[in-house]
């Protein structure tokens, strides 16, 4: 893996404590995303201007404890494994003289495909399940929300992140790839927080509503 360049505080922290640096950044950016989501919602409905800090804490905890470690480990795994696999596939297909340009773009596209279809489905599922449970919902309720919200959110996910990840995997050094993603995650996290808390497709059954009212 290429050493981290630069003399600023964050490059130094990445060199000395790479996982801790990525987790701290992820926690801060997930916190910022939820504050942004709540601020936008409260600007449209100013009757309750107070932020829900418990909700902010849940999202920040998710970023620090789950998103940060997962993104860091995933990008390292992609960096180690995708290029050798692509080389073997191209060689076995009879492409013995592979240009650098073709190899770079083949690896980039393979990483984007792996990110969209291998990493994102379980990661998005984990987001809905873990944040609902951390917010106090039962596992059964979390699963019901996941079933209602996964498909439309995943379609949006692939549409938004495919071009971003093309840039990320093609031009950003691997040690900065989680940071690059997390910067865009401020807006994306605001969207996910909105889906979880306010824009869910989950519709509670009339029987459950009666029990809750009672």
């Amino acid at each position: 893996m290429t050493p981290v360049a630069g003399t600023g505080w964050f490059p130094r922290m990445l060199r000395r404590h790479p996982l801790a640096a990525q987790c701290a950044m992820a926690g801060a950016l997930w916190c910022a995303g939820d504050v942004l989501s709540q601020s936008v919602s409260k600007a449209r409905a100013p009757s309750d201007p107070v932020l829900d800090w418990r909700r902010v804490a849940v999202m920040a905890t998710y970023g620090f404890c789950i998103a940060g470690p997962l993104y860091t480990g995933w990008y390292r795994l992609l960096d180690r494994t995708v290029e050798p696999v692509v080389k073997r596939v191209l060689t076995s297909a009879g492409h013995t003289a592979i240009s650098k340009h073709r190899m770079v773009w083949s690896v980039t596209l393979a990483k984007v495909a792996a990110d969209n279809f291998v990493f994102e489905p379980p990661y998005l599922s984990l987001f809905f399940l873990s944040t609902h449970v951390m917010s106090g919902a039962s596992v059964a309720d979390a699963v019901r929300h996941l079933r209602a919200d996964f498909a439309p959110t995943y379609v949006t996910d692939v549409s938004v992140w495919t071009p971003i990840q093309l840039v990320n995997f093609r031009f950003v050094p691997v040690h900065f790839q989680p940071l690059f993603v997390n910067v865009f995650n401020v807006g994306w996290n605001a969207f996910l927080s909105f889906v979880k808390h306010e824009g869910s497709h989950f519709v509670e059954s009339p029987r459950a509503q009666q029990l809750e009212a009672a």
Side-chain angles (χ1 to χ4, degrees), residues 32 45 49 78 84 92 95 100 129 131 133 140-141 146 154 171:
L78 287 178
S92 65
H95 302 285
K100 182 179 179 180
L129 292 173
T131 55
V133 170
D141 280 341
L146 170 63
Y154 179 65
F171 300 108

Side-chain angles (χ1 to χ4, degrees), residues 145-199:
H145 279 276
L146 170 63
R147 288 174 177 167
D149 292 329
F150 176 83
T153 307
Y154 179 65
V155 170
T156 305
D157 185 308
V158 172
S159 302
V160 169
W161 282 102
T162 295
I164 294 173
Q165 292 292 41
L166 277 172
V167 174
N168 189 29
F169 292 134
R170 175 62 182 87
F171 300 108
V172 180
V174 66
H175 43 269
F176 286 122
Q177 285 174 3
L179 175 62
F180 182 85
V181 165
N182 278 321
V183 169
F184 284 95
N185 261 344
V186 173
W188 178 247
N189 298 346
F191 169 73
L192 285 182
S193 184
F194 171 77
V195 171
K196 177 189 176 297
H197 295 98
E198 301 168 58

Side-chain angles (χ1 to χ4, degrees), residues 1-203:
M1 187 178 295
T2 306
V4 180
T7 58
W9 70 269
F10 192 73
R12 287 200 303 272
M13 191 173 179
L14 274 176
R15 284 195 298 270
R16 297 171 184 172
H17 310 287
L19 181 59
Q22 300 289 6
C23 290
M25 185 60 68
L29 292 172
W30 275 87
C31 174
D34 187 63
V35 170
L36 174 62
S37 176
Q38 291 195 53
S39 298
V40 171
S41 297
K42 291 180 184 302
R44 295 199 309 261
S47 58
D48 182 17
V50 180
L51 289 178
D52 182 347
W53 289 107
R54 183 174 184 270
R55 168 178 155 176
V56 173
V58 167
M59 303 305 283
T61 300
Y62 175 82
F64 182 85
C65 296
I66 299 176
L70 283 180
Y71 274 124
T72 301
W74 173 243
Y75 292 137
R76 288 176 179 174
L77 178 65
L78 287 178
D79 192 54
R80 290 195 309 267
T81 60
V82 170
E83 186 170 349
V85 170
V86 170
K87 284 182 178 178
R88 285 198 300 270
V89 170
L90 291 176
T91 301
S92 65
H95 302 285
T96 54
I98 307 168
S99 69
K100 182 179 179 180
H101 178 79
R102 181 177 182 181
M103 175 57 67
V104 166
W105 277 107
S106 295
V107 169
T108 299
L109 293 173
K111 286 182 176 180
V112 171
D115 195 64
N116 280 341
F117 304 117
V118 176
F119 180 77
E120 280 302 321
Y123 174 79
L124 196 58
S125 300
L126 180 61
F127 164 76
F128 282 117
L129 292 173
S130 61
T131 55
H132 275 293
V133 170
M134 284 192 288
S135 298
S138 67
V139 173
D141 280 341
V143 170
R144 285 194 287 269
H145 279 276
L146 170 63
R147 288 174 177 167
D149 292 329
F150 176 83
T153 307
Y154 179 65
V155 170
T156 305
D157 185 308
V158 172
S159 302
V160 169
W161 282 102
T162 295
I164 294 173
Q165 292 292 41
L166 277 172
V167 174
N168 189 29
F169 292 134
R170 175 62 182 87
F171 300 108
V172 180
V174 66
H175 43 269
F176 286 122
Q177 285 174 3
L179 175 62
F180 182 85
V181 165
N182 278 321
V183 169
F184 284 95
N185 261 344
V186 173
W188 178 247
N189 298 346
F191 169 73
L192 285 182
S193 184
F194 171 77
V195 171
K196 177 189 176 297
H197 295 98
E198 301 168 58
S200 176
H201 293 79
F202 175 72
V203 178

